Amino acid sequence: MSKHNLSSIDAYKKQLEQSTGNDYNCCYQCGKCTAGCPAGGFMDNPPTKIMRLVQAGYIEEAMRSNALWYCVGCQTCTARCPQNMDIAATMDALRELAIKSGIVSEDRSKKLVTAFHTSFLNNIRKHGRLQELSLVNSYKLRTRTFLQDASSGIKMIREGKINPLASFSGKEGVSGKEQIEKIFELAEKEVHTAAPARKPKKNTFSPQPPPLIKPGMTIGYYPGCSLGGTAKEYDISVRKMCELLDIRLEEIPDWNCCGATSAHATSHRLALLLPARNQALADAAGMDYVLAPCAACQNRQVTTRKAVIDSEELRLEVKGTTGIEPTGRAEFIGVTQLLEGYSADELAKRVKRPLKDLSLACYYGCLLVRPMEAMSFDDPENPLKMEQIVTTLGGTPVDWDFKIECCGAGLTLAQQEMVEDLTHSIARNASVNGAQAFVVACPLCHANLDMRQGGMRKRYEDIESMPVYYISELVAVACGADPAEVAVGKHFVPALELLNKR
């Protein structure tokens, strides 16, 4: 091996250590990361081997691995590492390094995932918020997958989830587009700030106190991009739920996309700077709590809030682009947290149509409970707070094993076959344990379990149709709303009949 190659390896390894905080010598190859990885069976080099490649200095081989393009970002590997290694961050850092250096896998999976991320981020850079039809069109042009999800797209247009005219009007974007452009330019600049060093330790779960939510309160609202389109029924049911609970919602003025999976997977800086603008706007508006119904959005905002509080450099960068220095005052909470803070007794008083004889699999997915130290509202291995809400509503939560398994997250377009495999395992376990339907608190989870269910069931032919409800839909219906009023009829898997029986 030449001195030049040795020099490059040292530089790459140093970059990885700085961006993740990992001391790779601490990995003793126990295999827990691979054992829990939902996508490990699709990878040439699953997480354990990736860590070994980095540890041994084979950085370029790790960067050429197709594993980087199957990784779903669920953070299971990091959550279960006995040495407190951030394995998920290693996958992200390798992916970002591979893109910048041009040392990448030639596997088709890389082309599909990169096409999705590129289309997504270009869309955000142009509009500030995601225009979903424009994203899909761009992705299909890049990948020539013109017929993929054509029937689903027609249904979404028919149900008003996608508005073809909106892509041409430009009305769905943010006003501060120049700020968004500055954020993208800033994210492209090289920085040398190292992540805090991680040391082996035993991580124990300690729940944070629930937010104090009372009838008559006004709280902030961050709907995120999908709730204005493909997850429109989630927005409708959240607003109706809050109306019935006497909670008023005030949208963050001129909010922008948080970057979602695409920023997180390709640019650590961008994944902080985009949500940090929302934090600054919410802080400036004097908001104490901001409801973020999307688990991915909430996750990005929560982790960014922590970074904003910890980093003066980040606060000043945000001030330089927005004119507002974020303080971290506004706390972003999910629907489940809001309902926990509202109190079970207060919620029970408002139940008019209990969900009797309805057996539900409470599906948390991955981003509601991970990373543990940031989300910290429910046990990351056996969360139960959604079950407590379902019980208060009169339903019956089932005891099952896949409540925190990843469904494929934001790779539903780029890795459809993998998503169907993952959702089949989830649905089969729920069905075997007596569930009639799912309850979720994330539009990505809903899309994968609902929109992909038809294709999944056609492939496997061993489970019955299972409706997928948002937790907000069930709360609204139990508190007296008509199921059709909260858009339950807009789901792909028919979901009205089961609720109309109550």
Side-chain angles (χ1 to χ4, degrees):
M1 188 177 288
S2 70
K3 185 180 293 186
H4 174 75
N5 287 338
L6 283 170
S7 176
S8 298
I9 288 168
D10 288 343
Y12 283 147
K13 194 167 184 179
K14 186 176 181 180
Q15 279 184 264
L16 289 173
E17 289 172 346
Q18 286 186 333
S19 60
T20 64
N22 289 332
D23 177 357
Y24 289 95
N25 294 321
C26 292
C27 175
Y28 56 77
Q29 293 287 290
C30 69
K32 288 194 75 171
C33 51
T34 295
C37 179
F42 293 86
M43 297 176 175
D44 54 353
N45 294 318
T48 307
K49 190 170 181 181
I50 289 288
M51 295 297 284
R52 182 59 180 151
L53 289 171
V54 173
Q55 193 178 55
Y58 292 94
I59 313 296
E60 291 187 5
E61 184 176 336
M63 285 194 283
R64 288 194 178 93
S65 172
N66 72 25
L68 305 182
W69 312 100
Y70 283 106
C71 174
V72 291
C74 66
Q75 302 184 54
T76 305
C77 50
T78 298
R80 295 177 181 172
C81 178
Q83 291 291 83
N84 193 37
M85 303 283 281
D86 197 341
I87 302 158
T90 299
M91 302 294 275
D92 292 339
L94 281 169
R95 192 184 304 107
E96 187 172 352
L97 200 56
I99 292 171
K100 288 180 179 177
S101 64
I103 303 172
V104 293
S105 164
E106 291 301 316
D107 190 90
R108 176 169 167 76
S109 60
K110 179 264 174 183
K111 295 179 175 62
L112 293 175
V113 174
T114 302
F116 177 79
H117 293 328
T118 301
S119 299
F120 190 104
L121 294 176
N122 285 349
N123 196 286
I124 301 309
R125 189 165 192 165
K126 181 178 181 181
H127 303 291
R129 296 178 189 171
L130 184 65
Q131 295 192 354
E132 291 172 312
L133 183 60
S134 176
L135 162 67
V136 171
N137 289 340
S138 175
Y139 173 77
K140 289 181 178 295
L141 287 170
R142 292 175 187 274
T143 59
R144 302 293 190 266
T145 53
F146 298 110
L147 298 180
Q148 181 188 10
D149 294 326
S151 60
S152 298
I154 292 170
K155 178 177 173 62
M156 288 182 181
I157 291 173
R158 190 170 64 244
E159 294 290 352
K161 293 184 178 185
I162 292 177
N163 180 2
L165 298 178
S167 297
F168 303 102
S169 69
K171 293 181 180 179
E172 292 185 348
V174 304
S175 299
K177 289 188 176 66
E178 73 289 345
Q179 295 179 8
I180 303 299
E181 179 60 31
K182 286 180 182 178
I183 284 172
F184 273 84
E185 291 173 357
L186 190 59
E188 291 165 358
K189 294 181 180 178
E190 198 165 328
V191 293
H192 304 283
T193 304
R198 298 177 70 93
K199 297 180 181 179
K201 68 173 184 176
K202 183 178 180 180
N203 290 314
T204 55
F205 172 65
S206 179
Q208 65 183 12
L212 299 175
I213 308 295
K214 297 181 179 180
M217 282 184 67
T218 297
I219 64 172
Y221 189 44
Y222 178 73
C225 303
S226 63
L227 270 74
T230 54
K232 193 171 186 178
E233 64 268 49
Y234 197 15
D235 179 65
I236 292 170
S237 64
V238 164
R239 292 178 185 274
K240 185 62 179 179
M241 175 192 76
C242 287
E243 176 190 324
L244 293 169
L245 298 181
D246 192 20
I247 297 170
R248 290 183 289 276
L249 298 176
E250 178 186 344
E251 280 195 33
I252 297 175
D254 204 40
W255 58 267
N256 59 267
C257 177
C258 66
T261 303
S262 294
H264 184 72
T266 58
S267 172
H268 176 71
R269 292 261 288 156
L270 190 60
L272 286 177
L273 289 167
L274 284 171
R277 179 178 181 270
N278 293 322
Q279 182 73 52
L281 294 172
D283 291 342
M287 296 174 177
D288 293 312
Y289 295 118
V290 178
L291 177 61
C294 173
C297 293
Q298 186 207 356
N299 189 287
R300 303 299 175 235
Q301 291 293 159
V302 167
T303 52
T304 296
R305 177 175 179 255
K306 185 177 184 301
V308 162
I309 292 171
D310 293 343
S311 172
E312 181 183 11
E313 181 183 0
L314 178 59
R315 294 196 298 271
L316 293 177
E317 285 179 330
V318 175
K319 184 178 181 180
T321 59
T322 66
I324 308 167
E325 183 173 345
T327 63
R329 169 179 171 167
E331 180 182 347
F332 286 74
I333 61 174
V335 174
T336 309
Q337 283 175 286
L338 178 143
L339 293 169
E340 180 194 16
Y342 193 78
S343 93
D345 290 341
E346 188 63 41
L347 179 59
K349 292 177 186 176
R350 296 171 185 263
V351 173
K352 297 178 180 178
R353 295 176 58 189
L355 306 177
K356 292 180 180 178
D357 304 319
L358 186 57
S359 298
L360 295 163
C362 295
Y363 179 65
Y364 294 78
C366 44
L367 296 181
L368 277 177
V369 293
R370 301 184 189 116
M372 178 177 67
E373 62 275 12
M375 301 306 286
S376 66
F377 90 99
D378 208 345
D379 189 312
E381 293 296 331
N382 186 30
L384 293 171
K385 292 183 179 178
M386 202 183 299
E387 281 87 343
Q388 293 167 6
I389 294 165
V390 166
T391 300
T392 301
L393 300 177
T396 304
V398 301
D399 185 13
W400 65 306
D401 306 314
F402 279 62
K403 63 170 72 176
I404 58 167
E405 293 299 307
C406 184
C407 63
L411 296 184
T412 189
L413 281 178
Q415 298 289 9
Q416 182 174 335
E417 183 178 349
M418 181 178 72
V419 167
E420 288 178 355
D421 285 353
L422 297 178
T423 54
H424 172 255
S425 298
I426 293 165
R428 182 167 174 76
N429 187 265
S431 178
V432 166
N433 284 284
Q436 297 169 279
F438 290 102
V439 52
V440 302
C442 174
L444 297 179
C445 296
H446 193 279
N448 286 340
L449 290 172
D450 183 52
M451 185 179 76
R452 292 284 174 232
Q453 191 175 136
M456 175 267 286
R457 291 177 58 238
K458 186 177 180 180
R459 279 179 60 193
Y460 287 96
E461 300 182 336
D462 61 353
I463 55 173
E464 298 297 320
S465 174
M466 292 184 66
V468 187
Y469 299 109
Y470 288 110
I471 184 68
S472 51
E473 291 175 334
L474 295 183
V475 173
V477 169
C479 291
D482 185 275
E485 184 184 4
V486 290
V488 174
K490 293 182 179 291
H491 296 184
F492 282 87
V493 179
L496 277 171
E497 184 179 355
L498 199 58
L499 287 184
N500 284 332
K501 291 178 181 178
R502 303 305 114 200

Short mmCIF file of all heavy atoms in Angstrom, two decimals, residues 192-221:
data_model
loop_
_atom_site.label_atom_id
_atom_site.label_comp_id
_atom_site.label_asym_id
_atom_site.label_seq_id
_atom_site.Cartn_x
_atom_site.Cartn_y
_atom_site.Cartn_z
N HIS A 192 -15.05 22.06 10.74
CA HIS A 192 -14.13 21.17 11.44
C HIS A 192 -14.55 20.94 12.89
O HIS A 192 -13.75 20.47 13.69
CB HIS A 192 -12.71 21.74 11.38
CG HIS A 192 -12.24 21.99 9.98
ND1 HIS A 192 -11.81 20.98 9.16
CD2 HIS A 192 -12.15 23.14 9.26
CE1 HIS A 192 -11.47 21.49 7.98
NE2 HIS A 192 -11.67 22.78 8.02
N THR A 193 -15.81 21.28 13.21
CA THR A 193 -16.28 21.06 14.57
C THR A 193 -16.51 19.57 14.80
O THR A 193 -17.27 18.93 14.06
CB THR A 193 -17.58 21.83 14.82
OG1 THR A 193 -17.38 23.22 14.51
CG2 THR A 193 -18.03 21.68 16.25
N ALA A 194 -15.85 19.03 15.79
CA ALA A 194 -15.96 17.59 16.06
C ALA A 194 -17.17 17.30 16.93
O ALA A 194 -17.56 18.10 17.78
CB ALA A 194 -14.70 17.10 16.75
N ALA A 195 -17.79 16.14 16.70
CA ALA A 195 -18.88 15.69 17.55
C ALA A 195 -18.33 15.33 18.92
O ALA A 195 -17.16 14.96 19.05
CB ALA A 195 -19.55 14.47 16.93
N PRO A 196 -19.12 15.45 19.98
CA PRO A 196 -18.65 15.07 21.32
C PRO A 196 -18.18 13.62 21.34
O PRO A 196 -18.82 12.75 20.73
CB PRO A 196 -19.89 15.27 22.20
CG PRO A 196 -20.76 16.21 21.45
CD PRO A 196 -20.51 15.94 20.00
N ALA A 197 -17.08 13.36 22.01
CA ALA A 197 -16.54 12.01 22.07
C ALA A 197 -17.50 11.09 22.81
O ALA A 197 -18.05 11.45 23.85
CB ALA A 197 -15.18 12.02 22.76
N ARG A 198 -17.71 9.90 22.25
CA ARG A 198 -18.58 8.90 22.87
C ARG A 198 -17.71 7.87 23.57
O ARG A 198 -16.71 7.41 23.03
CB ARG A 198 -19.45 8.21 21.81
CG ARG A 198 -20.39 9.18 21.10
CD ARG A 198 -21.16 8.45 20.00
NE ARG A 198 -22.14 7.52 20.54
CZ ARG A 198 -23.41 7.82 20.76
NH1 ARG A 198 -23.86 9.05 20.53
NH2 ARG A 198 -24.25 6.91 21.23
N LYS A 199 -18.11 7.52 24.77
CA LYS A 199 -17.36 6.54 25.56
C LYS A 199 -18.28 5.40 25.96
O LYS A 199 -19.50 5.59 26.09
CB LYS A 199 -16.79 7.20 26.81
CG LYS A 199 -15.78 8.30 26.51
CD LYS A 199 -15.25 8.92 27.80
CE LYS A 199 -14.25 10.04 27.50
NZ LYS A 199 -13.75 10.67 28.75
N PRO A 200 -17.72 4.20 26.13
CA PRO A 200 -18.57 3.07 26.56
C PRO A 200 -19.28 3.39 27.87
O PRO A 200 -18.69 3.88 28.82
CB PRO A 200 -17.56 1.94 26.76
CG PRO A 200 -16.43 2.29 25.86
CD PRO A 200 -16.33 3.78 25.90
N LYS A 201 -20.59 3.16 27.88
CA LYS A 201 -21.38 3.37 29.09
C LYS A 201 -22.68 2.60 28.96
O LYS A 201 -23.11 2.23 27.86
CB LYS A 201 -21.68 4.85 29.32
CG LYS A 201 -22.62 5.47 28.30
CD LYS A 201 -23.00 6.88 28.68
CE LYS A 201 -24.00 7.46 27.69
NZ LYS A 201 -24.47 8.81 28.07
N LYS A 202 -23.30 2.33 30.07
CA LYS A 202 -24.59 1.65 30.06
C LYS A 202 -25.68 2.70 29.95
O LYS A 202 -25.81 3.58 30.81
CB LYS A 202 -24.77 0.83 31.34
CG LYS A 202 -26.08 0.05 31.35
CD LYS A 202 -26.21 -0.79 32.63
CE LYS A 202 -27.53 -1.57 32.61
NZ LYS A 202 -27.68 -2.40 33.84
N ASN A 203 -26.45 2.64 28.88
CA ASN A 203 -27.53 3.59 28.68
C ASN A 203 -28.80 3.08 29.35
O ASN A 203 -29.25 1.96 29.09
CB ASN A 203 -27.79 3.78 27.18
CG ASN A 203 -26.67 4.52 26.49
OD1 ASN A 203 -26.19 5.53 27.00
ND2 ASN A 203 -26.24 4.02 25.35
N THR A 204 -29.36 3.87 30.22
CA THR A 204 -30.60 3.51 30.90
C THR A 204 -31.67 4.55 30.58
O THR A 204 -31.39 5.74 30.50
CB THR A 204 -30.41 3.43 32.42
OG1 THR A 204 -29.87 4.67 32.89
CG2 THR A 204 -29.46 2.29 32.77
N PHE A 205 -32.89 4.07 30.41
CA PHE A 205 -33.98 4.96 30.04
C PHE A 205 -34.54 5.69 31.25
O PHE A 205 -34.84 5.09 32.27
CB PHE A 205 -35.11 4.17 29.37
CG PHE A 205 -36.35 4.97 29.13
CD1 PHE A 205 -36.32 6.04 28.26
CD2 PHE A 205 -37.53 4.67 29.79
CE1 PHE A 205 -37.47 6.81 28.04
CE2 PHE A 205 -38.68 5.41 29.57
CZ PHE A 205 -38.64 6.48 28.69
N SER A 206 -34.64 7.00 31.11
CA SER A 206 -35.24 7.83 32.15
C SER A 206 -36.20 8.79 31.48
O SER A 206 -35.77 9.73 30.80
CB SER A 206 -34.15 8.61 32.92
OG SER A 206 -34.74 9.44 33.90
N PRO A 207 -37.52 8.58 31.61
CA PRO A 207 -38.47 9.40 30.88
C PRO A 207 -38.48 10.85 31.36
O PRO A 207 -38.37 11.13 32.54
CB PRO A 207 -39.82 8.73 31.17
CG PRO A 207 -39.62 8.02 32.47
CD PRO A 207 -38.18 7.58 32.47
N GLN A 208 -38.60 11.76 30.39
CA GLN A 208 -38.73 13.16 30.75
C GLN A 208 -40.17 13.43 31.18
O GLN A 208 -41.09 12.70 30.81
CB GLN A 208 -38.37 14.05 29.56
CG GLN A 208 -39.32 13.91 28.37
CD GLN A 208 -38.88 14.75 27.18
OE1 GLN A 208 -37.78 15.25 27.14
NE2 GLN A 208 -39.76 14.89 26.21
N PRO A 209 -40.40 14.44 32.00
CA PRO A 209 -41.77 14.77 32.43
C PRO A 209 -42.64 15.11 31.22
O PRO A 209 -42.15 15.73 30.26
CB PRO A 209 -41.59 15.99 33.34
CG PRO A 209 -40.15 15.97 33.73
CD PRO A 209 -39.40 15.37 32.60
N PRO A 210 -43.89 14.72 31.21
CA PRO A 210 -44.76 15.04 30.07
C PRO A 210 -45.03 16.54 30.01
O PRO A 210 -44.95 17.24 31.02
CB PRO A 210 -46.05 14.27 30.39
CG PRO A 210 -46.04 14.08 31.87
CD PRO A 210 -44.59 13.95 32.25
N PRO A 211 -45.34 17.05 28.83
CA PRO A 211 -45.69 18.47 28.71
C PRO A 211 -46.98 18.77 29.46
O PRO A 211 -47.83 17.88 29.62
CB PRO A 211 -45.86 18.67 27.20
CG PRO A 211 -46.22 17.32 26.68
CD PRO A 211 -45.46 16.35 27.54
N LEU A 212 -47.12 19.97 29.92
CA LEU A 212 -48.33 20.37 30.65
C LEU A 212 -49.34 20.96 29.66
O LEU A 212 -49.25 22.13 29.27
CB LEU A 212 -47.98 21.38 31.73
CG LEU A 212 -47.01 20.89 32.81
CD1 LEU A 212 -46.65 22.02 33.76
CD2 LEU A 212 -47.61 19.72 33.58
N ILE A 213 -50.28 20.13 29.23
CA ILE A 213 -51.28 20.53 28.25
C ILE A 213 -52.65 20.55 28.91
O ILE A 213 -53.08 19.56 29.50
CB ILE A 213 -51.30 19.56 27.05
CG1 ILE A 213 -49.90 19.38 26.45
CG2 ILE A 213 -52.29 20.04 25.99
CD1 ILE A 213 -49.30 20.61 25.84
N LYS A 214 -53.33 21.69 28.82
CA LYS A 214 -54.64 21.82 29.45
C LYS A 214 -55.66 22.38 28.46
O LYS A 214 -55.30 23.10 27.52
CB LYS A 214 -54.55 22.75 30.67
CG LYS A 214 -53.64 22.23 31.79
CD LYS A 214 -53.61 23.19 32.95
CE LYS A 214 -52.72 22.65 34.08
NZ LYS A 214 -52.67 23.58 35.23
N PRO A 215 -56.93 22.05 28.65
CA PRO A 215 -57.98 22.63 27.80
C PRO A 215 -57.90 24.16 27.82
O PRO A 215 -57.63 24.77 28.85
CB PRO A 215 -59.28 22.14 28.45
CG PRO A 215 -58.90 20.90 29.18
CD PRO A 215 -57.50 21.12 29.66
N GLY A 216 -58.12 24.75 26.66
CA GLY A 216 -58.07 26.21 26.54
C GLY A 216 -56.71 26.74 26.12
O GLY A 216 -56.59 27.93 25.81
N MET A 217 -55.69 25.88 26.09
CA MET A 217 -54.36 26.33 25.72
C MET A 217 -54.23 26.56 24.22
O MET A 217 -54.93 25.95 23.41
CB MET A 217 -53.30 25.28 26.14
CG MET A 217 -52.95 25.29 27.60
SD MET A 217 -51.62 24.10 27.98
CE MET A 217 -50.23 24.83 27.10
N THR A 218 -53.31 27.45 23.87
CA THR A 218 -52.89 27.62 22.48
C THR A 218 -51.44 27.15 22.38
O THR A 218 -50.60 27.60 23.16
CB THR A 218 -52.98 29.09 22.03
OG1 THR A 218 -54.34 29.51 22.08
CG2 THR A 218 -52.45 29.26 20.61
N ILE A 219 -51.17 26.23 21.47
CA ILE A 219 -49.80 25.75 21.28
C ILE A 219 -49.41 25.91 19.82
O ILE A 219 -50.26 26.08 18.94
CB ILE A 219 -49.65 24.28 21.72
CG1 ILE A 219 -50.51 23.36 20.84
CG2 ILE A 219 -50.00 24.10 23.19
CD1 ILE A 219 -50.25 21.89 21.10
N GLY A 220 -48.12 25.87 19.57
CA GLY A 220 -47.63 25.97 18.20
C GLY A 220 -47.95 24.72 17.40
O GLY A 220 -48.24 23.66 17.94
N TYR A 221 -47.87 24.85 16.08
CA TYR A 221 -48.16 23.73 15.19
C TYR A 221 -47.17 23.72 14.04
O TYR A 221 -46.97 24.73 13.37
CB TYR A 221 -49.59 23.85 14.65
CG TYR A 221 -50.07 22.63 13.88
CD1 TYR A 221 -49.85 21.34 14.33
CD2 TYR A 221 -50.79 22.80 12.69
CE1 TYR A 221 -50.33 20.23 13.64
CE2 TYR A 221 -51.28 21.70 11.99
CZ TYR A 221 -51.03 20.42 12.46
OH TYR A 221 -51.51 19.33 11.76
#
